[in-house]
Amino acid sequence: MSLLELDDLSVTYTIEAGEVPAVRGVSLTLEAGAALGIAGESGSGKSTLAMALLRLLPRGARVGGRILLDGEDVLTMKWGRLRAVRWAQASIVFQGAQHGLNPVHRIGDQIAEPLLTHGLAGPEAARGRVAELLRQVGLPDWRARSYPHELSGGQRQRVMIAMALACSPRLIVADEPTTALDVMVQAQVLTLIKRLVAERGISLVMISHDLSVLADVCDRLAVMYAGRVVEHGPSREVYHAAAHPYSRALAAAFPTVGDPASRLAPKGLGGDPPDPMRLPGGCAFHPRCPVALEECSTLDVEPRPAGEGREAACVHVREKEQEAS
């Protein structure tokens, strides 16, 4: 049994202007001890998906489908059961640690809170556990007495990781954990996440717009566009030999280290993601797609096999299948 299974997951926000379909029919699985990356531009639905995993969405959100965590549907859990699952079985590292930490409480108290809430340790044992967690994420024990504003951005992000690890969960959801950090600190935090996940056998769902980061950290990669998964497969293959034109555009948008040509002439993606309330007919990517066909404006292709363990929702993948047969 998979540790996490998303079955036809949909999320719709209700606003004054109407309904906004943020996530549309996403089905993914994550095995125990594996890492899944979810990529896409801003507005693709990836962070909404991350928040849905632990029912952290605002009241105006309507969620459909199923989210199975160890075979139990998160969407149908009673509040008491959901409260027991958060932090203890699955935890989250939020984007922007400055906003995820309480500015008037010391770091040590905030790391200890989930331990005390779930009854996993008394006050004295919790203090010892906090010191251990701080050392594991590369911070000295005395930082437990610090307030968030007394730490750098990278240090605050390490604190968020320590909080996520406090109750030894089986799953960690990391929503763009390095976006606000400089390149050097980003590399340190990513190395830390990789090491801790490997050492503890934790499953990881990591959200990012950067395919190169996800390819380095995750086993598998799902690329989202306009609320749907347009490609899914082994992360290295999706990054280096994408089957969907949107995945190729995302991968090409980042310069290659040591390659002056890619740095001086990056291959960006023209245009903007579509308004989710006014999605184009057919494939939502076709107005920006450099290889779109006439039928792409009317035909929304379901994900098709695009190699071993890979799927892509593109008419060109379908054409290759027909040629092979």
Side-chain angles (χ1 to χ4, degrees):
M1 180 185 294
S2 301
L3 175 65
L4 178 68
E5 182 178 351
L6 308 183
D7 180 17
D8 197 27
L9 177 66
S10 64
V11 179
T12 302
Y13 295 111
T14 301
I15 61 175
E16 288 187 8
E19 294 192 338
V20 182
V23 174
R24 305 183 295 141
V26 170
S27 296
L28 293 168
T29 59
L30 175 65
E31 303 301 322
L36 170 67
I38 300 178
E41 296 171 283
S42 296
S44 63
K46 57 189 189 299
S47 290
T48 291
L49 186 150
M51 296 299 106
L53 297 181
L54 291 175
R55 275 171 53 185
L56 296 172
L57 294 169
R59 290 183 180 275
R62 186 174 71 252
V63 185
R66 297 191 302 167
I67 302 173
L68 302 180
L69 181 61
D70 262 340
E72 190 174 1
D73 193 349
V74 174
L75 299 180
T76 60
M77 288 179 181
K78 295 185 180 298
W79 170 245
R81 176 57 182 155
L82 179 62
R83 188 170 180 267
V85 165
R86 290 175 178 172
W87 296 110
Q89 285 185 248
S91 59
I92 189 164
V93 179
F94 293 102
Q95 179 180 355
Q98 180 65 34
H99 305 292
L101 296 171
N102 192 320
V104 299
H105 289 289
R106 298 182 189 273
I107 294 302
D109 295 336
Q110 297 188 61
I111 298 175
E113 183 177 359
L115 291 166
L116 299 172
T117 298
H118 289 281
L120 298 178
E124 187 62 33
R127 281 193 290 271
R129 175 66 171 154
V130 168
E132 176 189 356
L133 287 164
L134 287 174
R135 288 193 295 269
Q136 287 180 356
V137 298
L139 294 175
D141 301 2
W142 60 266
R143 276 301 185 187
R145 300 189 297 275
S146 300
Y147 290 95
H149 72 272
E150 297 176 313
L151 278 66
S152 69
Q155 289 173 327
R156 286 193 294 266
Q157 203 63 53
R158 289 169 184 264
V159 170
M160 291 295 295
I161 294 171
M163 290 176 64
L165 293 170
C167 297
S168 300
R170 297 187 63 197
L171 171 67
I172 289 180
V173 180
D175 183 15
E176 305 233 28
T178 61
T179 296
L181 307 178
D182 63 59
V183 175
M184 292 298 294
V185 177
Q186 180 186 82
Q188 294 170 4
V189 171
L190 289 173
T191 299
L192 171 65
I193 291 174
K194 288 171 60 178
R195 177 176 61 81
L196 292 173
V197 167
E199 289 177 355
R200 294 169 175 245
I202 297 171
S203 298
L204 173 69
V205 175
M206 187 168 175
I207 313 296
S208 179
H209 60 278
D210 190 334
L211 265 69
S212 63
V213 166
L214 295 176
D216 187 46
V217 175
C218 301
D219 307 301
R220 296 185 66 81
L221 180 59
V223 179
M224 292 187 67
Y225 187 80
R228 285 189 174 173
V229 172
V230 296
E231 185 166 359
H232 176 224
S235 57
R236 290 288 179 178
E237 294 181 24
V238 173
Y239 178 54
H240 291 290
H244 196 283
Y246 178 63
S247 305
R248 289 197 294 271
L250 279 184
F254 297 91
T256 303
V257 176
D259 181 7
S262 69
R263 179 174 60 83
L264 296 174
K267 300 176 182 177
L269 177 61
D272 298 309
D275 182 342
M277 296 182 66
R278 299 174 180 81
L279 292 175
C283 172
F285 183 60
H286 86 265
R288 307 171 70 193
C289 181
V291 293
L293 303 176
E294 183 177 350
E295 63 183 298
C296 296
S297 62
T298 57
L299 180 64
D300 192 5
V301 178
E302 292 296 319
R304 302 291 182 88
E308 186 175 355
R310 297 178 64 184
E311 288 186 333
C314 180
V315 67
H316 291 284
V317 173
R318 186 196 64 186
E319 286 181 340
K320 290 178 182 178
E321 284 183 333
Q322 292 175 344
E323 290 172 4
S325 62

